[in-house]
Amino acid sequence: MATTSSMFMYSLTIQPPSAITQAILGQFAGTKEQQIVTASGSRIILHRPDPAQGKITTILSQDVFGIVRSLAAFRLAGSSKDFIIIGSDSGRITIIEYVPSQNRFNRLHLETFGKSGIRRVIPGQYLAVDPKGRACLTASVEKNKLVYVLNRNAQAELTISSPLEAHKPQTLVFALVGLDVGYENPIFAALEVDYGDSDQDPTGQAFEELEKSLVYYELDLGLNHVVRKWTDPVDRTATMLFQVPGGADGPSGVLVCGEDNITYRHSNQDAFRVAIPRRRGATEDPQRKRFITAGVMHKMRGAFFFLLQSEDGDLFKVTLEMVEDDNGQPTGEVKRLKIKYFDTVPLASSLCILKSGFLFVASETGNHHFYQFEKLGDDDDEKEFDSDSFPADPIEPYTPVYFYPRSSENVNLVESIDAMNALLDCTVANLTDGDAPQIYSICGTGARSTFRTLKHGLEVSEIVESELPSPPVAVWTTKITRSDQYDAYIILSFPNATLVLSIGETVEEVTDTGFLSSSSTLAVQQLGEDALIQVHPKGIRHILADRKVNEWPAPQHRSIVAATTNERQVAVALSSGEIVYFEMDADGSLAEYDEKREMSGTVTCLSLGEVPEGRMRSQYLAVGCDDSTVRILSLDPDSTLENKSVQALTSAPSALCIMPMADSSSGGSTLYLHIGLYSGVYLRTVLDEVTGELSDTRTRFLGPKPAKLFRVSIKGQPAVLALSSRPWLGYSDPQSRVFMLTPLNYAGLEWGCNFSSEQCPEGLVGIQKTNLRIFSIEKLANNLLQESIPLAHTPRQLVKHPDQPLFYVIGSDNNVLSQSTKARLLGDSSVVNGDAAVLPPEEFGYPRGKGHWASCIQIVDPVSAKETLQSIQLDNNEAAVSLATVSFSSQDDETFLVVGTGKDMIVSPRSASSGFIHVYRFQDDGKELEFIHKTKVEEPPIALLGFQGRLLAGVGTDLRIFDLGMKQLLRKCQAQVVPNIIVGLQTQGSRIIVSDVQESVVYVVYKFQENRLIPFADDTVPRWTTCTTMVDYETVAGGDKFGNLWLLRCPQKASEEADEDGSGAHLIHERQYLQGAPNRLALMSHFYPQDIPTSLQKTQLVAGGRDVLLWSGLQGTLGILVPFVSREDVDFFQTLEQHLRSEDAPLAGRDHLIYRSYYVPVKGVIDGDLCERYSLLNSDKKQMIAGELDRSVREIERKISDMRTRVAY
């Protein structure tokens, strides 16, 4: 297989995965404050919880280009900083630390112990650390365990020993945890099964008698080796272990969690066992046993407790009661184990309890939650169960215990963090007639599923909106003296008046400020220490601290048309095209420079930079003229108003702004000139601080209105507010320092500036028609905004109405009682009062029932109503599996909604009693559905598609064409085209692309005269297809369930032969090749993005952008593949990618090329996520790579950012 390709794509992530596989807690910055580190797919993310505001902010996110399997935090004795150990698929153990000063992860150790990849016998799956930070144990699923001793050397640096082996063949590990034994030899506990005997026994007898054991491994620090110290059989259903505090804090040992029970075990203590309480209620099955799926142990002074979660989401508080001696002091012996219901939270993959009294829940699906503890559930009347009522032997029977779930009392939700994991389908459409299309997606599971609208923008929180009597032209805020912390006045300019408002407890009009109120205003500035300045068309007012006014009148018959100011300088342009420049004297008065400078055309805008720290003046004045130029004039005393450089533009400039901003190319800050044009285009160009030259211009189209620019400050960093038909913010990305330009999710503003008061220390004030609006921008990290609409069941597919802005979503949940069954159980006369309480399913989930399905079809309006308009429940244990909108030519091209369902489906092994195809008619512009009829088929139809005025359905291995009849659908044509199950259909013309569940795709042609479906091309490799889309008539892109993306192309000759006129007899009689179709598809490109693609489409994401392939991944990822246009770009990025692979090797030690070629060698795809790490390198490495590529650092960064901004966000 050739690894070069004639087709090249550039892969980019536009939204990283949000599914958290593991979360750990620690003091990673070396301060008292705790941080949370989470692993999502191949990313490691550091979050900072803010206890004061009850919020979590992301500080750092890094792609390690490897699969993160396990994380652990450890701290060496006596130090105050936690390190992170990563167990990944690189066959190496990695120890990293967080460096707060540089905001990056630094790798300390990388020790190779085995092959790469996720293998059964290579350690990395389990990771456990001794609580005192002396050793860590990494284990594989089978056989191998390695212990590393952690220590520090004379320079106080972390050292790691060579590995000590604790291997045992034919042993499976289910769980692993480090025991808390104080400062005795470190001990690790594992749940193991030895399958040696059952492997040799063909009768299955040994398998029935198999025992699961709890095994202690002791690391002897003196002898430096590991021994199996103690082993004891436990309940065969046990799956999890939790460490019990030891040393001075507790009895040590572990909690072993199995089906329906929790047992305390330790080598020198008796076993204590409690049952997991079951829910009581009319819709609950009293026989259903629960498992513990997650949990956390929290230590407080002199006490500790566990919060363990069952698969319903119920949290149970588990405590140990100790035997006390005669003085009432606890001895090291356990008396009993206690359990009680605590609260219900969403099902978690990890739970973290912070010392500041918060609980972080990393949800398995849907939003992650951040709770605050109200109380610890000690003094409530919830019933407590203890181990005295249950036998310690796992085989002995006992009476189950029950509780009533209730709404949360002990924890209170303070923040819900957006997460789209379990992203099952998405589509791109522009329903709001905005500049750019929106992404509509369905995600989540069960009652916590949502329909989400994603649009590009920053979140804005509005503080005040007040109406003014007439529309103002401009607005400014100003302090009175330089040392003021907050602004004192808001100045509003009207076409022929100026209004001054003072900012205090309230905002009210004031008249005695010295401002001229009978004319409009062009600029306001706080000058020097304590003076104010107002520029109006007829002159300049200099208002001194004692309210005295010095007036500079404009020359006769001329007026001021543009002005710019800073705290020491003023420049104005007159209607005659002259520029007058003023500078502040030592005594605080304004001195006019003797000469006026004539410009060639009318001046449209001016800009002075801020005065740099420690300097007397800003060096340059930028002047924009209506002859479409920008000139840079020097303000140096020796060469005042001399021309330094000029830049020609495509249209006249409407706004200019000189400001320094953080810059990734130089590593420090750079002076930029921002230019806004009347055509709505924004340009950013570098202004050389020595020569005044302009270089490295980047452009972006903002909207059809002229662009206005304002200097603002966001999160203490300088930023530029650009206003056109909608507001945009230009800022440096907090992590990579790359310049970003993002629209604000806000009304279109006409003017804006900074606003600072006691209530709102860092806000913005803007005008929109007659409204004055004060708002602030909280988060710069996330530039995709989400709006959610709740859905009833796990969504499976969505489809848009052909004309209306409406979506139709099918949802279904397995092993969940349907609405009708639930209503029947609740309506039963034997139900006791307390059992009839119906709990909100969003919090408590739906009642379970084995073999039952709950399913519905929902109409969602995401634009105007922002809610679900109608829900149609399916009964008779049917579950929706597919849907499509089909226009039938037999019904005058009327469009119908067609839904495929399965009855009594069993997921594994796959079976169903029958399938149905339901047909619905649209009523009231699609806002209602009217059921017409349903047609029974042998198997659930998993793929449906409208095809040439009829319905194409994949039923099992058959491809069928149906037409709409009066009583049911009429079968017109059928062919068996795939070996297993049809899971997807795409079409163009008479060509149909059929995807099979495990045999890739087949190209089929439909011959209308003969009414035949003929397969003519298939693939050489079995691919477990999850989604496909046609890129052009010959090419199909797809994703598979192992997390690959690929493009396949049909050979030109085969494609032409298939479309020849005639009966298709030449295709039918053509010789089959290796039991398949006569022709084979060629692989064009292949890439491993490390998420399972669930939808794929060819679309545009920005106005006027190129077509890209947008794919969504199950873990909440959104990514794009951008086609390259020129071979030159391909060569440039390939070379850059090779340099970055060696200079910025992945953090966890995985080889980047091998990682992207997990299943098939990567072909024709360049990894944009790796290329974008260029801006994070230190300047020496940047210069070195730039030298190798024969480009400047700025050019490389510009090319990288252009690849993203031209097609996406």
Side-chain angles (χ1 to χ4, degrees), residues 205-223:
Q205 182 70 28
F207 176 73
E208 294 302 323
E209 294 165 2
L210 202 65
E211 275 189 341
K212 194 172 276 186
S213 324
L214 175 66
V215 184
Y216 278 9
Y217 290 91
E218 182 178 19
L219 164 65
D220 192 317
L221 288 170
L223 297 172

PDB file of all heavy atoms in Angstrom, residues 205-223:
ATOM      1  N   GLN A 205     -15.926 -27.446  35.053  1.00  0.00           N
ATOM      2  CA  GLN A 205     -16.093 -27.597  36.496  1.00  0.00           C
ATOM      3  C   GLN A 205     -15.212 -26.597  37.253  1.00  0.00           C
ATOM      4  O   GLN A 205     -15.650 -25.917  38.165  1.00  0.00           O
ATOM      5  CB  GLN A 205     -15.699 -29.043  36.879  1.00  0.00           C
ATOM      6  CG  GLN A 205     -15.853 -29.382  38.345  1.00  0.00           C
ATOM      7  CD  GLN A 205     -17.316 -29.470  38.782  1.00  0.00           C
ATOM      8  OE1 GLN A 205     -18.182 -29.780  37.964  1.00  0.00           O
ATOM      9  NE2 GLN A 205     -17.594 -29.183  40.036  1.00  0.00           N
ATOM     10  N   ALA A 206     -13.960 -26.498  36.809  1.00  0.00           N
ATOM     11  CA  ALA A 206     -13.009 -25.605  37.492  1.00  0.00           C
ATOM     12  C   ALA A 206     -13.454 -24.148  37.366  1.00  0.00           C
ATOM     13  O   ALA A 206     -13.263 -23.349  38.281  1.00  0.00           O
ATOM     14  CB  ALA A 206     -11.615 -25.785  36.907  1.00  0.00           C
ATOM     15  N   PHE A 207     -14.085 -23.820  36.236  1.00  0.00           N
ATOM     16  CA  PHE A 207     -14.543 -22.440  36.050  1.00  0.00           C
ATOM     17  C   PHE A 207     -15.649 -22.106  37.055  1.00  0.00           C
ATOM     18  O   PHE A 207     -15.699 -21.012  37.611  1.00  0.00           O
ATOM     19  CB  PHE A 207     -15.051 -22.252  34.619  1.00  0.00           C
ATOM     20  CG  PHE A 207     -15.638 -20.884  34.366  1.00  0.00           C
ATOM     21  CD1 PHE A 207     -14.814 -19.771  34.253  1.00  0.00           C
ATOM     22  CD2 PHE A 207     -17.010 -20.700  34.266  1.00  0.00           C
ATOM     23  CE1 PHE A 207     -15.345 -18.509  34.037  1.00  0.00           C
ATOM     24  CE2 PHE A 207     -17.556 -19.452  34.052  1.00  0.00           C
ATOM     25  CZ  PHE A 207     -16.710 -18.344  33.934  1.00  0.00           C
ATOM     26  N   GLU A 208     -16.524 -23.078  37.308  1.00  0.00           N
ATOM     27  CA  GLU A 208     -17.601 -22.863  38.276  1.00  0.00           C
ATOM     28  C   GLU A 208     -17.044 -22.645  39.682  1.00  0.00           C
ATOM     29  O   GLU A 208     -17.595 -21.897  40.466  1.00  0.00           O
ATOM     30  CB  GLU A 208     -18.563 -24.071  38.296  1.00  0.00           C
ATOM     31  CG  GLU A 208     -19.348 -24.271  36.999  1.00  0.00           C
ATOM     32  CD  GLU A 208     -20.188 -23.063  36.631  1.00  0.00           C
ATOM     33  OE1 GLU A 208     -20.739 -22.427  37.547  1.00  0.00           O
ATOM     34  OE2 GLU A 208     -20.267 -22.742  35.421  1.00  0.00           O
ATOM     35  N   GLU A 209     -15.937 -23.337  39.999  1.00  0.00           N
ATOM     36  CA  GLU A 209     -15.386 -23.269  41.354  1.00  0.00           C
ATOM     37  C   GLU A 209     -14.312 -22.191  41.507  1.00  0.00           C
ATOM     38  O   GLU A 209     -13.656 -22.101  42.549  1.00  0.00           O
ATOM     39  CB  GLU A 209     -14.769 -24.631  41.727  1.00  0.00           C
ATOM     40  CG  GLU A 209     -15.817 -25.714  41.832  1.00  0.00           C
ATOM     41  CD  GLU A 209     -15.210 -27.113  41.829  1.00  0.00           C
ATOM     42  OE1 GLU A 209     -13.959 -27.215  41.784  1.00  0.00           O
ATOM     43  OE2 GLU A 209     -15.985 -28.087  41.858  1.00  0.00           O
ATOM     44  N   LEU A 210     -14.131 -21.407  40.447  1.00  0.00           N
ATOM     45  CA  LEU A 210     -13.097 -20.373  40.448  1.00  0.00           C
ATOM     46  C   LEU A 210     -13.272 -19.413  41.621  1.00  0.00           C
ATOM     47  O   LEU A 210     -14.403 -19.042  41.958  1.00  0.00           O
ATOM     48  CB  LEU A 210     -13.227 -19.589  39.129  1.00  0.00           C
ATOM     49  CG  LEU A 210     -12.027 -18.831  38.629  1.00  0.00           C
ATOM     50  CD1 LEU A 210     -10.913 -19.794  38.278  1.00  0.00           C
ATOM     51  CD2 LEU A 210     -12.410 -18.049  37.376  1.00  0.00           C
ATOM     52  N   GLU A 211     -12.160 -19.002  42.223  1.00  0.00           N
ATOM     53  CA  GLU A 211     -12.241 -18.061  43.340  1.00  0.00           C
ATOM     54  C   GLU A 211     -11.565 -16.752  42.967  1.00  0.00           C
ATOM     55  O   GLU A 211     -10.556 -16.744  42.266  1.00  0.00           O
ATOM     56  CB  GLU A 211     -11.512 -18.639  44.568  1.00  0.00           C
ATOM     57  CG  GLU A 211     -12.368 -19.556  45.381  1.00  0.00           C
ATOM     58  CD  GLU A 211     -11.689 -19.937  46.698  1.00  0.00           C
ATOM     59  OE1 GLU A 211     -10.449 -19.787  46.780  1.00  0.00           O
ATOM     60  OE2 GLU A 211     -12.384 -20.368  47.634  1.00  0.00           O
ATOM     61  N   LYS A 212     -12.155 -15.653  43.466  1.00  0.00           N
ATOM     62  CA  LYS A 212     -11.491 -14.357  43.311  1.00  0.00           C
ATOM     63  C   LYS A 212     -10.783 -14.072  44.630  1.00  0.00           C
ATOM     64  O   LYS A 212     -11.359 -14.301  45.693  1.00  0.00           O
ATOM     65  CB  LYS A 212     -12.521 -13.275  43.001  1.00  0.00           C
ATOM     66  CG  LYS A 212     -11.914 -11.992  42.492  1.00  0.00           C
ATOM     67  CD  LYS A 212     -12.970 -10.996  42.018  1.00  0.00           C
ATOM     68  CE  LYS A 212     -13.418 -11.238  40.601  1.00  0.00           C
ATOM     69  NZ  LYS A 212     -14.312 -10.213  40.079  1.00  0.00           N
ATOM     70  N   SER A 213      -9.539 -13.582  44.565  1.00  0.00           N
ATOM     71  CA  SER A 213      -8.780 -13.380  45.801  1.00  0.00           C
ATOM     72  C   SER A 213      -8.373 -11.932  45.963  1.00  0.00           C
ATOM     73  O   SER A 213      -8.162 -11.211  44.975  1.00  0.00           O
ATOM     74  CB  SER A 213      -7.497 -14.213  45.808  1.00  0.00           C
ATOM     75  OG  SER A 213      -7.703 -15.438  45.188  1.00  0.00           O
ATOM     76  N   LEU A 214      -8.256 -11.550  47.222  1.00  0.00           N
ATOM     77  CA  LEU A 214      -7.646 -10.267  47.559  1.00  0.00           C
ATOM     78  C   LEU A 214      -6.202 -10.587  47.937  1.00  0.00           C
ATOM     79  O   LEU A 214      -5.951 -11.396  48.827  1.00  0.00           O
ATOM     80  CB  LEU A 214      -8.396  -9.639  48.742  1.00  0.00           C
ATOM     81  CG  LEU A 214      -7.802  -8.349  49.299  1.00  0.00           C
ATOM     82  CD1 LEU A 214      -7.893  -7.230  48.284  1.00  0.00           C
ATOM     83  CD2 LEU A 214      -8.533  -7.934  50.568  1.00  0.00           C
ATOM     84  N   VAL A 215      -5.246  -9.972  47.206  1.00  0.00           N
ATOM     85  CA  VAL A 215      -3.832 -10.307  47.404  1.00  0.00           C
ATOM     86  C   VAL A 215      -3.076  -9.066  47.857  1.00  0.00           C
ATOM     87  O   VAL A 215      -3.286  -7.978  47.309  1.00  0.00           O
ATOM     88  CB  VAL A 215      -3.212 -10.838  46.087  1.00  0.00           C
ATOM     89  CG1 VAL A 215      -1.779 -11.278  46.308  1.00  0.00           C
ATOM     90  CG2 VAL A 215      -4.036 -11.990  45.540  1.00  0.00           C
ATOM     91  N   TYR A 216      -2.232  -9.223  48.879  1.00  0.00           N
ATOM     92  CA  TYR A 216      -1.368  -8.124  49.321  1.00  0.00           C
ATOM     93  C   TYR A 216       0.043  -8.358  48.785  1.00  0.00           C
ATOM     94  O   TYR A 216       0.608  -9.438  48.961  1.00  0.00           O
ATOM     95  CB  TYR A 216      -1.294  -8.082  50.857  1.00  0.00           C
ATOM     96  CG  TYR A 216      -2.461  -7.386  51.522  1.00  0.00           C
ATOM     97  CD1 TYR A 216      -3.586  -7.008  50.796  1.00  0.00           C
ATOM     98  CD2 TYR A 216      -2.437  -7.106  52.893  1.00  0.00           C
ATOM     99  CE1 TYR A 216      -4.657  -6.375  51.417  1.00  0.00           C
ATOM    100  CE2 TYR A 216      -3.505  -6.477  53.523  1.00  0.00           C
ATOM    101  CZ  TYR A 216      -4.613  -6.120  52.778  1.00  0.00           C
ATOM    102  OH  TYR A 216      -5.665  -5.497  53.376  1.00  0.00           O
ATOM    103  N   TYR A 217       0.605  -7.326  48.130  1.00  0.00           N
ATOM    104  CA  TYR A 217       2.010  -7.366  47.698  1.00  0.00           C
ATOM    105  C   TYR A 217       2.783  -6.401  48.573  1.00  0.00           C
ATOM    106  O   TYR A 217       2.417  -5.235  48.673  1.00  0.00           O
ATOM    107  CB  TYR A 217       2.136  -6.922  46.236  1.00  0.00           C
ATOM    108  CG  TYR A 217       1.571  -7.926  45.266  1.00  0.00           C
ATOM    109  CD1 TYR A 217       0.246  -7.853  44.853  1.00  0.00           C
ATOM    110  CD2 TYR A 217       2.364  -8.954  44.755  1.00  0.00           C
ATOM    111  CE1 TYR A 217      -0.285  -8.769  43.969  1.00  0.00           C
ATOM    112  CE2 TYR A 217       1.844  -9.882  43.866  1.00  0.00           C
ATOM    113  CZ  TYR A 217       0.526  -9.792  43.473  1.00  0.00           C
ATOM    114  OH  TYR A 217       0.015 -10.711  42.594  1.00  0.00           O
ATOM    115  N   GLU A 218       3.855  -6.894  49.206  1.00  0.00           N
ATOM    116  CA  GLU A 218       4.643  -6.021  50.072  1.00  0.00           C
ATOM    117  C   GLU A 218       5.985  -5.728  49.406  1.00  0.00           C
ATOM    118  O   GLU A 218       6.654  -6.624  48.888  1.00  0.00           O
ATOM    119  CB  GLU A 218       4.893  -6.697  51.427  1.00  0.00           C
ATOM    120  CG  GLU A 218       5.668  -5.772  52.358  1.00  0.00           C
ATOM    121  CD  GLU A 218       5.909  -6.394  53.740  1.00  0.00           C
ATOM    122  OE1 GLU A 218       5.813  -7.638  53.872  1.00  0.00           O
ATOM    123  OE2 GLU A 218       6.193  -5.643  54.672  1.00  0.00           O
ATOM    124  N   LEU A 219       6.341  -4.437  49.405  1.00  0.00           N
ATOM    125  CA  LEU A 219       7.654  -4.036  48.914  1.00  0.00           C
ATOM    126  C   LEU A 219       8.569  -3.915  50.128  1.00  0.00           C
ATOM    127  O   LEU A 219       8.346  -3.064  50.991  1.00  0.00           O
ATOM    128  CB  LEU A 219       7.542  -2.686  48.179  1.00  0.00           C
ATOM    129  CG  LEU A 219       8.853  -1.942  47.928  1.00  0.00           C
ATOM    130  CD1 LEU A 219       9.740  -2.729  46.982  1.00  0.00           C
ATOM    131  CD2 LEU A 219       8.607  -0.550  47.373  1.00  0.00           C
ATOM    132  N   ASP A 220       9.579  -4.798  50.198  1.00  0.00           N
ATOM    133  CA  ASP A 220      10.523  -4.731  51.310  1.00  0.00           C
ATOM    134  C   ASP A 220      11.599  -3.716  50.943  1.00  0.00           C
ATOM    135  O   ASP A 220      12.451  -3.975  50.078  1.00  0.00           O
ATOM    136  CB  ASP A 220      11.132  -6.127  51.549  1.00  0.00           C
ATOM    137  CG  ASP A 220      11.882  -6.164  52.867  1.00  0.00           C
ATOM    138  OD1 ASP A 220      12.606  -5.190  53.149  1.00  0.00           O
ATOM    139  OD2 ASP A 220      11.745  -7.160  53.609  1.00  0.00           O
ATOM    140  N   LEU A 221      11.545  -2.540  51.585  1.00  0.00           N
ATOM    141  CA  LEU A 221      12.483  -1.469  51.208  1.00  0.00           C
ATOM    142  C   LEU A 221      13.917  -1.824  51.583  1.00  0.00           C
ATOM    143  O   LEU A 221      14.859  -1.378  50.950  1.00  0.00           O
ATOM    144  CB  LEU A 221      12.070  -0.157  51.872  1.00  0.00           C
ATOM    145  CG  LEU A 221      10.804   0.484  51.296  1.00  0.00           C
ATOM    146  CD1 LEU A 221      10.336   1.625  52.164  1.00  0.00           C
ATOM    147  CD2 LEU A 221      11.010   0.971  49.879  1.00  0.00           C
ATOM    148  N   GLY A 222      14.087  -2.662  52.642  1.00  0.00           N
ATOM    149  CA  GLY A 222      15.438  -3.057  53.058  1.00  0.00           C
ATOM    150  C   GLY A 222      16.063  -4.003  52.039  1.00  0.00           C
ATOM    151  O   GLY A 222      17.203  -3.817  51.611  1.00  0.00           O
ATOM    152  N   LEU A 223      15.290  -5.036  51.643  1.00  0.00           N
ATOM    153  CA  LEU A 223      15.838  -6.041  50.719  1.00  0.00           C
ATOM    154  C   LEU A 223      15.619  -5.645  49.257  1.00  0.00           C
ATOM    155  O   LEU A 223      16.154  -6.294  48.356  1.00  0.00           O
ATOM    156  CB  LEU A 223      15.168  -7.401  50.975  1.00  0.00           C
ATOM    157  CG  LEU A 223      15.410  -7.985  52.365  1.00  0.00           C
ATOM    158  CD1 LEU A 223      14.543  -9.206  52.569  1.00  0.00           C
ATOM    159  CD2 LEU A 223      16.876  -8.345  52.537  1.00  0.00           C
TER     160      LEU A 223
END
